[in-house]
């Protein structure tokens, strides 16, 4: 079964945050060839929680502290700056200061 993805920008972020559902998030990762483990999915949901509370995407330093996780471990898990895929598949805005 394949889900039709809502419109995304050139970096693969949803054009409208309102289009996000867990199914859409997982389908986006699948299309991008990213395997979302339970651990990664948990981080995505925690980022959405943080965003709901703070109305801002946290920098990785703040987010790893929020999760009680080691930043280096998160970088190793995601094989990239963790906030990019976390926010992308979580249907959140692009993190600022992310390259």
């Amino acid at each position: 079964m394949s889900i039709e993805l809502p419109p995304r920008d050139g970096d693969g972020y949803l054009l409208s945050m309102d289009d996000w559902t867990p199914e859409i998030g997982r389908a986006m990762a699948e299309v991008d060839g990213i395997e979302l483990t339970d651990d990664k999915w948990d981080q995505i949901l925690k980022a959405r929680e943080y965003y709901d509370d703070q109305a801002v995407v946290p920098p990785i330093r703040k987010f790893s502290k929020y999760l009680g996780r080691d930043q280096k471990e998160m970088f190793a898990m995601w094989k990239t700056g963790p906030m990019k895929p976390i926010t992308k598949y979580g249907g959140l805005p692009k993190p600022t200061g992310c390259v």
Side-chain angles (χ1 to χ4, degrees), residues 66-87:
Y66 177 76
L67 292 177
R69 300 288 294 263
D70 179 58
Q71 241 177 276
K72 288 188 187 88
E73 180 191 299
M74 290 175 70
F75 272 88
M77 178 189 299
W78 288 98
K79 299 178 181 49
T80 176
M83 293 318 292
K84 266 185 136 167
I86 288 172
T87 52

Side-chain angles (χ1 to χ4, degrees), residues 30-67:
E30 197 176 303
V31 166
D32 294 348
I34 303 294
E35 184 195 346
L36 291 181
T37 60
D38 288 345
D39 196 4
K40 287 180 180 178
W41 189 247
D42 188 51
Q43 291 177 29
I44 288 168
L45 296 179
K46 288 276 191 270
R48 287 187 61 83
E49 248 171 56
Y50 187 99
Y51 187 84
D52 287 344
D53 289 347
Q54 310 290 325
V56 68
V57 170
I60 181 60
R61 200 174 296 117
K62 207 174 249 185
F63 188 59
S64 62
K65 202 171 274 178
Y66 177 76
L67 292 177

